[in-house]
Amino acid sequence: LYLIALLLTPEQVAFYSIAVNMTNPILQIPDAIGTVIFPKLAGSSDAAAHERTAITCRHTLFATIIAAIVYAGVGSQLMLLFYGQRYSPAIPPMFMMLPGIIMISLYQILSRNFTSRNKQQINIAAAGVALAVNATSNLILIPRFGIIGAALSTAISYSLAASILLVVFLRESGYSLRETVLVSTGDLSRYPAMVMATGARLRRSSGTAD
């Protein structure tokens, strides 16, 4: 935002801020899951933590992709509904950010794995590299492509940070890329039971509250 303010106009800062705020709700999915899983990872052996992390990564990534697809379909309409046609320039950068939002969901889960095993330096290194790339790419892309370039820089840096953690995790855990990021048929078959169990817990919680 500071670079956009420096290189572009206040209007472009407003459009980019709206685009960011419109995509941020998707990040609540991996953030909530990461918060829940962290204590379990911290109390597990490395092998158990790796297994739980791989399972959580693929389910979280799947849920985030679904949310991003739905958002891509209705996000522009919501933005126009909330802000009006005058703010339509915020729509393209919002779409451009979605791939990065999907990738950062992996980062949020994987970073919990490394933190739970006292390997925060890996998270710091990944974030440092991503920050340097983000600043450099912003300086190159914003003057050429405006806020779309800023959104592309965000997507690139988010994806880079997640990819660094993913490579290290795969090397340390021995899990394959497919096992870590792709849901299986067996995973999908468990979803109906998970939904029913969640509904039952919500009903019990509601009954207790009453």
Side-chain angles (χ1 to χ4, degrees), residues 114-164:
F114 292 114
T115 301
S116 71
R117 297 185 295 115
N118 198 29
K119 293 189 174 183
Q120 298 94 327
Q121 67 271 21
I122 299 175
N123 298 333
I124 295 171
V129 171
L131 175 62
V133 170
N134 188 31
T136 302
S137 59
N138 269 310
L139 290 172
I140 295 172
L141 295 176
I142 290 177
R144 297 184 180 183
F145 305 108
I147 57 176
I148 294 179
L152 179 59
S153 296
T154 298
I156 291 172
S157 60
Y158 279 4
S159 300
L160 178 60
S163 297
I164 291 172

Side-chain angles (χ1 to χ4, degrees), residues 1 44 101 130 179 194:
L1 287 173
S44 303
I101 296 296
E179 290 172 317
M194 292 168 58

Side-chain angles (χ1 to χ4, degrees), residues 37-113:
I37 194 178
F38 180 73
K40 298 180 180 179
L41 296 178
S44 303
S45 64
D46 283 1
H50 291 330
E51 180 182 13
R52 191 181 295 274
T53 299
I55 294 172
T56 305
C57 276
R58 61 180 185 258
H59 286 292
T60 302
L61 186 62
F62 179 73
T64 307
I65 289 174
I66 296 299
I69 291 174
V70 173
Y71 216 76
V74 303
S76 59
Q77 300 305 314
L78 289 174
M79 185 175 291
L80 294 178
L81 176 65
F82 290 147
Y83 297 101
Q85 188 65 40
R86 292 178 59 189
Y87 287 85
S88 59
I91 294 175
M94 182 193 74
F95 287 147
M96 188 66 67
M97 289 179 195
L98 289 177
I101 296 296
I102 291 171
M103 288 300 293
I104 206 65
S105 68
L106 276 180
Y107 179 91
Q108 292 200 8
I109 302 301
L110 292 171
S111 63
R112 260 74 169 200
N113 175 284

Side-chain angles (χ1 to χ4, degrees), residues 147-196:
I147 57 176
I148 294 179
L152 179 59
S153 296
T154 298
I156 291 172
S157 60
Y158 279 4
S159 300
L160 178 60
S163 297
I164 291 172
L165 293 193
L166 181 59
V167 168
V168 177
F169 173 77
L170 296 179
R171 185 176 300 172
E172 289 192 354
S173 68
Y175 282 88
S176 67
L177 181 63
R178 181 182 181 85
E179 290 172 317
T180 307
V181 302
L182 296 178
V183 292
S184 65
T185 304
D187 291 329
L188 295 175
S189 66
R190 298 187 186 97
Y191 280 8
M194 292 168 58
V195 171
M196 293 178 63

